[in-house]
Structure formats: C-alpha cells, structure tokens
Amino acid sequence: MALAPPKPLFPSPSSSAVAVAELSPLPSSLSSLLCRSRSPFLGLRLAHDPSTSLLLLPLRYRRPLCAVADAAAVAAEAEDAGSPRPRVLVAEKLGEAGLELLRGFAEVDCGYNLPPEDLRARIARCDALIVRSGTKVTREVFEAAAGRLKVVGRAGVGIDNVDLQAATEHGCLVVNAPTANTVAAAEHGIALLAAMARNVAQADASMKAGKWQRNKYVGVSLVGKTLAVMGFGKVGSEVARRAKGLGMHVIAHDPYAPADRARAIGVELVSFDEAISTADFISLHMPLTANTSKLFNDETFSKVKKGVRIINVARGGVIDEDALVRALDSGTVAQAALDVFAEEPPPKDSKLVLHENVTVTPHLGASTIEAQEGVAIEIAEAVIGALKGELAATAVNAPMVPAEVLSELSPYIALAEKLGKLAVQLITGGSGVRGVKVVYSSARDPDDLDTRILRAMITKGILEPISSVRINIVNADYTAKQRGLRISEERISIGGSLEVPIESIRVHIANVNSKFAGALLDNNGDIVLEGRVKDGIPYLTLVGSFTVDVGLEGNLILCRQVDQPGIIGRVGKILGEKNINVNFMSVGRNAPGKQAIMGIGVDEEPDKETLRMIGEIPAIVEFVFLKL
Ligand SMILES: NC(=O)c1ccc[n+]([C@@H]2O[C@H](COP(=O)([O-])OP(=O)(O)OC[C@H]3O[C@@H](n4cnc5c(N)ncnc54)[C@H](O)[C@@H]3O)[C@@H](O)[C@H]2O)c1
Ligand SMILES: O=C(O)[C@H](O)COP(=O)(O)O
C-alpha cells in the first residue's frame, strides 16, 4: 500500500477569494470566536481592542496538523526513486511472517549475507535496512546511503553490530526487537548449563567416535549450587527463574536493576566481586558496551572460586578469550559453555573453541522457530512504524516517546518547528546563532512534561533552513552541538488546567541582529517569538514585545506600523488585488496611537512588486515576509 499524505479533516475549497469589508463594531464574542474557530472565515482581532474589527471573507477551511514526521516526504522520496513505495533491504534471514508484513507496505529486497562492498552498493536505494547480528552496519554503510536510509532494524536485541554514533549523525533511526527472543536465549542458556555440567556434547562426540567412556564424563550436579547471573535484564531474569526451578541458589549482579524485581523471584542482587567469588556457575547476560568489553579478564579470573563454570549467551566480547583459555588451562575455570564469540565465526584454529573443556554452539540463542517468527514480526512492525513517521517504541538512538504522549504533543511539535523556522528567518547576516533559550509555560509538574521532542523540533526549525543536513529527532541534538548552537530550556509554572500540556512556548535567540527590529525584545538583541496552540492549531502570539494572534499556516507577513486607522484595509486591498489569499490577520500594539505589529497569514508567496507596494504605505515602518 502506498504511503499517502495525511488526510485533511476539513476539505479545502478549490478556489479562494479575498474580499475586504469594514465591519464596525463587531461584537467581541463573535470576533474572538471567529479567530479561534475552524470556520471558513478569516478571523481578525485587534489584540487589545476587540471592539474594532475588520473581517475578510471567505477563506479556506483550516487544515489539520500533520503527522509528527513527514510520511509524505518518505513517499515522495520513494517516488522520486521510481517507486511509489519505500524500499527495504533485508540483509539476513528473517521469518516469513515479518517479510509478509513488510511486503504489504514496501518493496522488499532479500539480499542475505552480502559482502560489505555489495551492501554499500545497494544501500543508497533503500529507505530501511534489516539485519541480525551477522551484518556490520558501519559508518561506511551510512555514508554510502547518501541520506536516503531512514531506519535500521535490528531483528534481535544486541545492537553492537550497528555503529550507533554514525547512525545518529546521519539522522538514521535504529530500532531493535528486544522482547521476542528473550525466552529462546534463556532456554539456550539453561541448555548449555545442563549440557556442560553433564558433558553432553563431549560424550556425544566420543560415542560417535566409537568410544564408550563412562568414567571420563562424570559430571557435576546443579541442585544446591550457586549460580551468579551477571546482567539481570530480560534474559538474565528468565535464566534465574529457570535455575531456581532446578534447585539452584541464584544471586545476581546488575548495577542498574531494581532490587525489588530480583527479590520478587527470590534472587539477591550482590556486588560484582561477591558474585564472581562465591558462584559455582557464572552466566553472562549483559550487553557488549565500552564498559563491559573484556570485563572477564585475567584479573577477574584471579578472583573467581576455583573450578567455576562459565556460560555465555550474551556477547563474546564481554570475555577476554585469551584470558579464558589461560584460566581453563590452569583449572581456575573448570568448564565454559559459549554461544557467542568475539569474532563470529571464530577462526577455525581457535584455542577456545577447540578446548576440551569448552562446549560451543554457533550463536543459536535466538534460533528457535517461535523466536524467529516473533522477532520478524516485532522488527517489521517497528520498521514500518518508523517509515510512517511514527516514533518507535524500540528506538535505540532517539527518545522513546509513548504514543499517547506523542499524540497529545502533536500540535505543540508543529508549533515548535514553526517557531524555530520563523525565528531563524528574522536573523540578519553576520550575527550567527549561538544561544537559544526555550521557555515553556505549563500548569503541569515538570516531570509530567517531556520536552525532548519539542527541543528537537525547534532545533530542526532553526537549523534545517541553514544547513544541508536533514534534521530529525535522531540527530537534532548532535547537529546543534556540532554547529556550536547551545539550546537551553526553562519551565515556568503557571496556574491553569492540567489537561493542557503547555500554555505557551517562547523562543529567545540571543544577541543577534534582526531584519525586523520589532522582533527584538526591547531592542536588546534578543529575537523573541512566542506561540500557543488553540483548538489544535499553532498560533504566533508574541513578536518581540508585541502581542499578536496569527494562525501559523501558509506564509506570514509581519509589518510594524504607526498605529492609525486604515492600514489593515490598505494592506488587505493590495493582497486582494494581487490575488493573494489571506488566511489570518492580527494586530497587536503596546499603546494606542503608537506602534503596532500586524501579522498576516498568506497562502501564496507575494511577488516583489506586491511587497514593494506594502512597503510604500507611509505608516509602515518595516515589514518582512516569512515562509513557514
Ligand atoms: N545468544 C543469543 O542469541 C542472544 C539472544 C538474546 C540476547 N542476547 C544477548 O543477551 C544480552 C542480554 O539481553 P537482554 O535482552 O536480557 O538485554 P537487557 O537489556 O534486557 O538486559 C541487559 C542487562 O544488563 C545490565 N547491565 C548493563 N551493564 C552491566 C554491567 N556492567 N554489569 C552487569 N549488568 C549490566 C543492564 O542493566 C540490563 O539489566 C545482550 O547482550 C543480548 O545481545 C543474546
Ligand atoms: O542479540 C540478539 O538478539 C541475539 O544475539 C540474537 O542474534 P541473531 O539475531 O543474530 O540470532
């Protein structure tokens, strides 16, 4: 199914016209209603004087807010590339149920186990890439993608084979499938534990070699022995649960796991040293990170209980494999059972793999029929969601914003981006943007307001028009940092309804020159814009020190003028004669008869002649045309 742009809630008339009518006075209740409603009228209100109003009719229907990320842009890009649907490259074997889901939405290429150069050659034609642990998604892959790749889906848990930093720098979302193979991995850990304790693999090989060695393969019992689970996450806790069922005493080490979750299944959380020095069996279940790389090394092995047995179904890199061989040779470690290796597949002459006290499997932890079907569906759904522009719940390099929060914040997300976009257009050359302060006014407790996505969208609005990078929630913070742009956030607590997440968003751009002096707060070099959401529509409500009330749709003309009768009519007339559709107009002033700011929302871009005519109206001090 092709991606369609978000459907308007209200149909747009095919043509629109502008008529100018002086209505005076208009009841304030009506003028304010028109300003806020989604009616086909232009609402116009003089911010501080609702009794004198001007109404322009008829107008286009209001459009609804767009989806958070630009689904239409994804479709458009895919179309550019000759296909109306996004293209997904599946680089490792994926369950049929997941492939079916993907095919319902995208063009799917299955190119299993591609050499790195072939992967790089194909990636520039893809919107998404799906891998398991066997494909290295390196910086070179993201560079070769030349900006088209939007999402990498890891069909499994570990994302150590994906260069997350490079993905983030390229604005590419990485999602994984963190839950569907948990049980399979835990079952494999228990299988290795039992097989190792009873020498199942060695005895099997010996019998197949024609031998009958009953005395050689005497094992050890599990009941009553202490198992240390290192990493008490999803797999670790399932292993612990099962080991308890086998009558083992289970302890765990995990600096980040809540003690009550461990206690709930009868497991005590202990320090690293206590875990490794008291355990008869050590089972590894932490991710491979800079902190866990070679965590088990000569020094660690010097602290273990002599004759300990080690199981690893996490990642090979967590163990210094040479140190493990030494520990096995000395008898410090009696046996090891390994599903994962620092290099996969390991070299054929690997001393570790060939060691007689080591039981090995070729990274089979997630390889059950059930887990692979589950993982395939989990990753297909995550990738499709990401391509549709939804924020994935399993995003690895972007804030995870729950769907309900996202839907609540959706109009504020649009407002944030528009404020950024407007603010940057007001800056004039030479000053450079260095510091941006964003102030959110809200009745909510700060803990109930996640503003990361809003900050990202303000950054996008400011930076995208002035850089070649496409900015999204993934790379917004990184790109800002790269460009030396400091974005600080401040919350102001106000009274009011908790139903409304944010009352207003104010953007200050510090120490810049503006092409529209009226946008500078007290002429101090800070551009200030404030916006609010009304009936789901973003509005500009403050420019510098002037209150306005302009719906942020289409484009915007800002005029600063001497506050006197007739200006609005003259500007409206010029635009009407030039067939430029005005969708909103608002005037704000600080004091009668002094200066005022007029915000005019226009659907079309006025040509130079039109702008010149507006500028020639004697009372107009300055004006600027801004694109949204
Ligand atoms: N062999 C396989 O096929 C297979 C299958 C699934 C998962 N895995 C691997 O198993 C590991 C765990 O997967 P999971 O789904 O349980 O992940 P998880 O994120 O749920 O759990 C990992 C746990 O490790 C903890 N941790 C992080 N650093 C630690 C440290 N220094 N010391 C102790 N604990 C630490 C975390 O707090 C977390 O609780 C991952 O490495 C994953 O890639 C392998
Ligand atoms: O991290 C994981 O999910 C496991 O290691 C499984 O990896 P695989 O998808 O290559 O089997």
Side-chain angles (χ1 to χ4, degrees):
M1 201 181 71
L3 266 174
K7 269 202 189 129
L9 286 175
F10 306 95
S12 259
S14 53
S15 67
S16 56
V18 178
V20 182
E22 297 273 355
L23 296 183
S24 180
L26 192 72
S28 60
S29 55
L30 178 58
S31 73
S32 107
L33 177 73
L34 290 173
C35 284
R36 282 186 280 110
S37 77
R38 290 176 174 185
S39 75
F41 298 99
L42 170 73
L44 174 68
R45 178 178 56 191
L46 302 186
H48 294 283
D49 191 1
S51 64
T52 41
S53 301
L54 179 91
L55 190 65
L56 302 182
L57 314 164
L59 291 175
R60 287 181 194 278
Y61 287 85
R62 301 240 150 263
R63 276 195 310 274
L65 293 166
C66 297
V68 172
D70 210 344
V74 174
E77 263 185 45
E79 210 138 19
D80 287 350
S83 160
R85 307 200 310 158
R87 186 168 288 276
V88 179
L89 175 60
V90 180
E92 286 181 74
K93 184 137 180 46
L94 193 71
E96 200 46 44
L99 289 173
E100 276 308 299
L101 275 178
L102 288 168
R103 288 189 190 113
F105 174 80
E107 298 302 322
V108 180
D109 293 339
C110 292
Y112 298 153
N113 308 320
L114 295 171
E117 58 279 13
D118 291 0
L119 176 61
R120 290 199 299 272
R122 286 170 76 158
I123 202 68
R125 280 177 282 129
C126 300
D127 301 285
L129 168 68
I130 295 182
V131 298
R132 288 178 60 183
S133 61
T135 307
K136 299 244 176 298
V137 190
T138 57
R139 178 171 289 279
E140 290 71 37
V141 172
F142 291 105
E143 281 164 1
R148 177 155 173 190
L149 187 66
K150 291 166 193 72
V151 53
V152 171
R154 159 65 170 109
V157 185
I159 28 90
D160 43 284
N161 54 321
V162 179
D163 186 334
L164 282 185
Q165 179 60 28
T168 303
E169 287 175 27
H170 287 81
C172 181
L173 185 71
V174 180
V175 290
N176 70 351
T179 60
N181 67 22
T182 298
V183 167
E187 287 177 349
H188 198 62
I190 294 290
L192 286 178
L193 167 79
M196 172 176 65
R198 302 306 294 270
N199 302 305
V200 172
Q202 291 84 347
D204 176 76
S206 148
M207 264 191 82
K208 284 180 175 142
K211 299 176 190 164
W212 184 256
Q213 297 178 291
R214 296 186 66 210
N215 292 337
K216 183 169 181 188
Y217 294 121
V218 173
V220 290
S221 187
L222 300 178
V223 71
K225 297 282 167 51
T226 296
L227 169 70
V229 171
M230 308 300 286
F232 197 72
K234 294 183 292 295
V235 179
S237 52
E238 289 302 322
V239 164
R241 210 188 293 276
R242 283 160 178 74
K244 286 198 71 83
L246 296 171
M248 299 186 83
H249 169 61
V250 183
I251 55 174
H253 169 71
D254 187 327
Y256 317 107
D260 53 347
R261 194 157 56 80
R263 253 196 315 274
I265 51 175
V267 173
E268 191 194 348
L269 282 181
V270 298
S271 70
F272 183 85
D273 281 359
E274 184 177 346
I276 61 166
S277 61
T278 55
D280 303 297
F281 292 82
I282 296 175
S283 192
L284 307 186
H285 300 289
M286 67 263 284
L288 176 61
T289 63
N291 288 338
T292 61
S293 175
K294 296 194 177 172
L295 187 61
F296 287 81
N297 50 38
D298 286 316
E299 193 195 334
T300 327
F301 291 131
S302 72
K303 295 179 188 164
V304 298
K305 191 166 161 181
K306 188 160 170 69
V308 70
R309 290 173 166 80
I310 293 181
I311 304 106
N312 189 5
V313 291
R315 281 293 178 268
V318 170
I319 297 179
D320 175 341
E321 293 181 337
D322 294 336
L324 179 56
V325 171
R326 287 190 284 276
L328 283 159
D329 285 343
S330 68
T332 303
V333 173
Q335 287 182 299
L338 310 171
D339 184 46
V340 285
F341 305 88
E343 186 188 332
E344 294 187 355
K348 290 213 163 50
D349 60 352
S350 159
K351 281 191 184 153
L352 189 59
V353 173
L354 298 176
H355 203 287
E356 64 168 345
N357 294 337
V358 175
T359 301
V360 287
T361 50
H363 203 150
L364 291 182
S367 295
T368 63
I369 291 165
E370 296 83 353
Q372 281 313 305
E373 282 302 290
V375 161
I377 293 170
E378 198 177 2
I379 202 62
E381 286 174 345
V383 166
I384 291 169
L387 285 175
K388 281 180 176 167
E390 295 160 9
L391 272 187
T394 61
V396 176
N397 61 342
M400 289 183 228
V401 186
E404 60 281 10
V405 175
L406 205 54
S407 113
E408 185 183 48
L409 286 185
S410 161
Y412 301 91
I413 289 166
L415 171 64
E417 182 176 355
K418 286 176 184 218
L419 287 174
K421 229 173 173 177
L422 288 178
V424 74
Q425 291 177 74
L426 289 168
I427 298 171
T428 190
S431 41
V433 196
R434 284 279 164 266
V436 174
K437 185 168 82 177
V438 186
V439 183
Y440 309 95
S441 296
S442 170
R444 292 218 182 144
D445 188 282
D447 288 345
D448 283 343
L449 190 62
D450 185 345
T451 57
R452 289 171 301 174
I453 190 164
L454 301 175
R455 186 181 67 230
M457 288 302 122
I458 290 169
T459 310
K460 177 176 163 68
I462 292 173
L463 287 185
E464 210 162 64
I466 56 173
S467 75
S468 53
V469 185
R470 190 164 151 172
I471 295 167
N472 57 23
I473 181 122
V474 176
N475 62 358
D477 283 348
Y478 170 81
T479 314
K481 209 167 167 190
Q482 284 296 101
R483 294 189 63 113
L485 174 65
R486 210 175 51 79
I487 305 205
S488 61
E489 292 177 290
E490 216 177 280
R491 313 274 174 93
I492 295 184
S493 291
I494 53 161
S497 166
L498 295 176
E499 296 286 299
V500 180
I502 298 169
E503 192 55 39
S504 68
I505 303 177
R506 191 177 282 208
V507 175
H508 294 243
I509 302 201
N511 285 321
V512 282
N513 300 321
S514 178
K515 61 173 76 148
F516 186 75
L520 295 171
L521 186 65
D522 304 325
N523 295 321
N524 70 352
D526 276 13
I527 289 179
V528 174
L529 295 180
E530 182 191 84
R532 288 163 197 254
V533 169
K534 301 182 200 178
D535 289 339
I537 301 200
Y539 277 68
L540 180 67
T541 51
L542 188 82
V543 176
S545 53
F546 293 89
T547 311
V548 291
D549 195 16
V550 194
L552 289 175
E553 291 180 286
N555 299 310
L556 183 67
I557 300 171
L558 287 180
C559 297
R560 183 158 60 98
Q561 74 257 11
V562 179
D563 183 35
Q564 62 184 53
I567 308 291
I568 296 168
R570 289 186 69 176
V571 175
K573 191 157 175 284
I574 292 171
L575 292 171
E577 280 168 4
K578 295 286 184 181
N579 213 17
I580 289 166
N581 194 41
V582 174
N583 64 38
F584 228 98
M585 194 180 256
S586 154
V587 179
R589 62 187 179 184
N590 292 336
K594 299 234 163 120
Q595 295 223 324
I597 279 193
M598 174 163 57
I600 309 162
V602 287
D603 288 344
E604 292 81 20
E605 181 170 347
D607 59 16
K608 278 193 184 139
E609 167 69 2
T610 311
L611 293 174
R612 186 188 58 74
M613 286 167 75
I614 293 174
E616 280 176 358
I617 298 173
I620 289 189
V621 180
E622 58 171 351
F623 74 98
V624 65
F625 171 71
L626 304 167
K627 283 190 185 176
L628 275 169

